[in-house]
Every structure is written in structure tokens, then in C-alpha cells.
């Protein structure tokens, strides 16, 4: 009986050892099949800010066009809060299956890592780069009813009453916030920052005249500027913006070394299958080179990614770009002493 029992045990071990590779192969084949079938259901683009801001505008434009190419709906979901960190953490912790992606801004993808330091809930390596969508200049503006007519007038008013004026931004850590803080540093003025949970609510306050000044990405504010509800004082890019050719740069208005442009793109949870990231990256690259997409960017005052010679983007190029921007803005934040509000 003992010999029979031992024989049965040996057969069970042998059967298990033979079945293990077959099971592993089946699991691998199933994973490859799932990747090949992607996308089999709607994809979610999570926006870290409220509707009507540049991040939201870029997300909806890209979602519509890439959804048509993929044959699946791409749903835009706004999750504002904590300067974009709530959405960033949510996506970093999401299932890495290619169905939840983050529409990042310069703040969530680069600035916040230094600005929030140990309080930052996500590490750079927890999010994988997919594609850069758009680059945009910022605009410093005042309400149309303001007595301030130009950047020199804003500087004079601020110097006459230190800490009496305020300015709004779409949130702490955004390019509008840092651009204005750099301007304050270079111009030697003290103006109080008021951060909002996105450009939408901030623009409502600016148009109503409840802010003395503000700084935001051009796509979100250009409609109000063209309609005469806001008065632009300067753009933060090195050259004048093609959408606002009559508005001077900081340098032309007498404030040197204060350039700060924004950008927006797509990231996914870091463990997302590489094949899925490459596929989405390719489709978004095609979208960013589409004449209709670029025409819309032009209307909004934005520029294409320009990470490739033809102006497009790749996951690898975007990853390298983000790493460079993290270092660059880290140096700016440390040297200027800018802090999260």
C-alpha cells in the first residue's frame, strides 16, 4: 500500500509539473490576446482640473479625434483638487489596463514633484508617458474695467501698494502661478496669489472684476480677451503669440528672464502594457499632426508638440521631455523660494 501511495504522489507531482508551463502559457496567451483586442470598451481620460480650462480643452479635442481612430468612445472625466494631485494619484493607482489615463499639465507632470516635495502622493515613475498634446504660452491680463492699461501700469500700481493687489491662477503649481511668481521676482513687486480649482472659476472672478490681475494659459482665456472682457498685458513666451500678435512679451514690456510656457499630454499607470502605450502614443501622434487638430490649436493660440522633426510626439520622447521639465522647474522653485499655498 505504501508503494502504491508513493506512486500516486509521484504521478501527482509529475502532472502538476507538466501542467504549470501549460497554465503559464495560457495566461500569457490570454494577456497578449487582451492587449491585441485593446480597446474593447470605452477609455477614460481623467482631467485634474475643472471644465473650461486648457487641460480640459486639450483633453476633449484629443479624446474626440483619437476615439474615432480607435473605434471606441473616449470619455473625459474632471477630477479637480489638490493642484491636480487627486487625479494624478487616482490614475497612478488605477488598473494598468489602458482604460484609465491622465491628461496631465505641466503642474501634475513636472512642477508638483518639487513644489509639494514629500507631500506629493505620486512618484514620477508611477506614471508612464504616452504623448504630448499641446504647448501654450501664458497671458497676464486684467479685467476690462481695470484702470491698468499695460504691464508697466501693473508694476507701478503694485509698487505703490505692496501686497494690496491680488492675482488669480488656475491653481497652485500651475504654469500660470509660476509664470506670475517669476514676473513678481524679476519686476520686484509684491502681489498676493489667489489660487482656484481650475481656470473656469478663476476666469469668472476675473471677468467680474473681483481680481486685480491674473495669469493663465492662452487657450482658456483667449475667448474672453477677443470678446473684450479681459485686457491682455503680456505673454510669457519668448516670442509674441500668433493668436495675439499685438500683445508684447515680458521681455518687450521690460521684464527680462521670466519666460514660462505651459504644456499638456497623456500619461498612464506605469504598469500598463507597453503595447497599449505604444498604440495610444501612435494614434495621438497621428492626431497631433492632423490639419484639423492643428487648425484648432492655432485658433486657441497653442502650438503642436514638436518632439519629433515633423512636429509630432512619441512615448519615449515625451518621457525624456518630462524628465527635463522636472529638473528645470525644480531649479526654478528652489531658486525663487516659491511654495504651494
Amino acid at each position: 500500500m505504501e508503494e502504491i501511495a508513493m506512486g500516486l504522489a509521484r504521478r501527482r507531482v509529475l502532472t502538476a509539473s507538466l501542467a504549470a508551463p501549460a497554465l503559464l502559457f495560457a495566461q500569457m496567451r490570454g494577456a497578449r490576446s487582451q492587449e491585441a483586442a485593446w480597446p474593447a470598451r470605452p477609455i477614460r481620460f481623467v482631467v485634474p482640473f475643472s471644465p473650461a480650462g486648457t487641460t480640459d480643452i486639450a483633453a476633449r479635442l484629443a479624446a474626440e479625434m483619437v476615439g474615432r481612430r480607435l473605434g471606441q468612445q473616449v470619455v473625459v472625466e474632471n477630477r479637480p483638487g489638490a493642484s491636480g494631485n487627486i487625479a494624478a494619484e487616482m490614475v497612478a493607482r488605477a488598473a494598468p489596463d489602458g482604460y484609465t489615463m491622465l491628461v496631465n499639465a505641466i503642474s501634475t507632470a513636472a512642477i508638483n514633484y518639487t513644489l509639494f516635495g514629500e507631500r506629493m502622493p505620486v512618484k514620477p515613475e508611477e506614471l508612464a508617458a504616452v504623448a504630448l498634446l499641446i504647448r501654450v504660452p501664458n497671458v497676464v491680463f486684467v479685467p476690462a474695467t481695470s484702470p491698468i492699461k499695460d504691464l508697466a501700469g501693473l508694476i507701478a500700481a503694485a509698487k505703490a501698494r505692496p501686497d494690496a493687489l491680488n492675482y488669480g491662477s488656475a491653481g497652485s503649481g500651475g504654469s500660470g502661478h509660476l509664470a506670475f511668481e517669476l514676473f513678481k521676482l524679476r519686476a520686484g513687486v509684491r502681489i498676493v496669489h489667489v489660487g482656484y480649482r481650475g481656470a473656469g472659476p478663476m476666469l469668472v472672478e476675473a471677468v467680474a472684476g473681483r481680481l486685480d490681475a491674473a495669469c493663465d494659459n492662452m487657450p482658456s482665456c483667449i475667448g474672453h480677451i477677443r470678446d473684450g472682457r479681459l485686457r491682455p498685458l503680456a505673454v510669457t513666451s519668448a516670442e509674441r503669440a500668433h493668436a495675439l500678435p499685438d500683445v508684447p512679451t515680458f521681455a518687450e514690456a521690460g521684464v527680462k528672464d521670466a519666460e514660462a510656457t505651459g504644456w499638456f499630454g497623456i500619461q498612464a499607470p506605469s504598469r500598463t502594457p507597453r503595447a497599449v502605450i505604444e498604440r495610444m502614443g501612435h494614434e495621438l501622434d497621428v492626431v497631433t499632426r492632423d490639419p484639423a487638430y492643428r487648425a484648432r490649436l492655432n485658433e486657441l493660440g497653442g502650438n503642436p508638440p514638436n518632439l519629433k522633426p515633423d512636429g509630432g510626439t512619441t512615448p519615449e520622447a515625451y518621457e525624456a521631455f518630462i524628465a527635463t521639465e522636472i529638473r528645470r522647474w525644480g531649479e526654478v522653485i528652489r531658486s525663487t523660494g516659491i511654495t504651494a499655498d
Side-chain angles (χ1 to χ4, degrees):
M1 292 293 293
E2 184 176 345
E3 291 180 0
I4 293 173
M6 291 178 62
L8 288 172
R10 282 196 295 270
R11 278 197 294 273
R12 282 196 294 268
V13 171
L14 178 60
T15 301
S17 64
L18 291 173
L23 178 61
L24 178 60
F25 176 76
Q27 290 173 339
M28 292 173 62
R29 184 173 58 187
R32 285 196 296 267
S33 177
Q34 287 179 349
E35 290 176 23
W38 183 91
R41 63 179 190 270
I43 299 165
R44 181 172 51 159
F45 277 3
V46 180
V47 175
F49 305 104
S50 58
T54 303
T55 320
D56 184 70
I57 293 170
R60 294 181 189 279
L61 178 59
E64 179 185 355
M65 297 185 72
V66 81
R68 289 200 299 265
R69 291 190 56 81
L70 291 170
Q72 281 288 349
Q73 183 182 15
V74 180
V75 180
V76 175
E77 178 180 328
N78 298 85
R79 284 294 185 97
S83 299
N85 290 344
I86 289 176
E89 183 177 18
M90 171 187 165
V91 174
R93 308 288 180 262
D97 52 14
Y99 292 100
T100 302
M101 297 190 180
L102 177 70
V103 186
N104 61 28
I106 183 175
S107 56
T108 50
I111 293 171
N112 286 3
Y113 292 111
T114 301
L115 191 67
F116 287 90
E118 294 182 356
R119 291 182 292 149
M120 184 68 179
V122 178
K123 294 182 175 60
E125 59 269 22
E126 292 182 277
L127 291 165
V130 178
L132 179 61
L133 298 176
I134 179 176
R135 302 189 199 223
V136 295
N138 295 297
V139 186
V140 172
F141 51 87
V142 296
T145 55
S146 172
I148 296 170
K149 305 300 182 184
D150 52 30
L151 198 65
L154 177 60
I155 293 171
K159 287 187 174 180
R161 296 189 298 150
D163 295 321
L165 301 184
N166 62 39
Y167 81 92
S169 81
S172 296
S175 61
H177 176 204
L178 266 69
F180 204 98
E181 289 297 314
L182 272 177
F183 156 67
K184 285 166 52 179
L185 181 70
R186 304 294 187 239
V189 295
R190 285 159 41 192
I191 305 175
V192 178
H193 176 233
V194 181
Y196 290 81
R197 294 181 66 178
M202 181 273 290
L203 289 168
V204 169
E205 296 296 286
V207 169
R210 289 188 284 270
L211 289 171
D212 296 308
C215 185
D216 198 27
N217 305 131
M218 186 175 292
S220 58
C221 63
I222 195 168
H224 294 301
I225 291 172
R226 286 172 173 161
D227 290 344
R229 293 189 288 266
L230 297 173
R231 180 182 302 129
L233 305 183
V235 294
T236 66
S237 48
E239 288 127 13
R240 292 196 180 200
H242 56 77
L244 295 174
D246 296 330
V247 179
T249 65
F250 270 158
E252 289 174 331
V255 181
K256 307 294 184 182
D257 302 321
E259 295 172 18
T261 55
W263 47 265
F264 306 85
I266 302 292
Q267 287 179 301
S270 59
R271 292 179 291 113
T272 302
R274 193 65 195 176
V276 171
I277 288 175
E278 293 290 346
R279 172 79 189 284
M280 179 61 92
H282 168 73
E283 299 299 346
L284 287 170
D285 173 49
V286 174
V287 165
T288 62
R289 289 184 283 109
D290 187 291
Y293 182 86
R294 294 203 171 184
R296 182 61 177 145
L297 289 192
N298 191 63
E299 290 175 10
L300 296 170
N303 300 307
N306 291 324
L307 294 182
K308 295 172 59 179
D310 62 1
T313 177
T314 67
E316 295 78 14
Y318 190 32
E319 183 177 3
F321 175 80
I322 290 174
T324 299
E325 287 287 277
I326 290 174
R327 289 193 297 271
R328 174 180 178 242
W329 286 106
E331 292 172 359
V332 170
I333 291 166
R334 286 188 289 270
S335 64
T336 58
I338 296 171
T339 60
D341 293 342

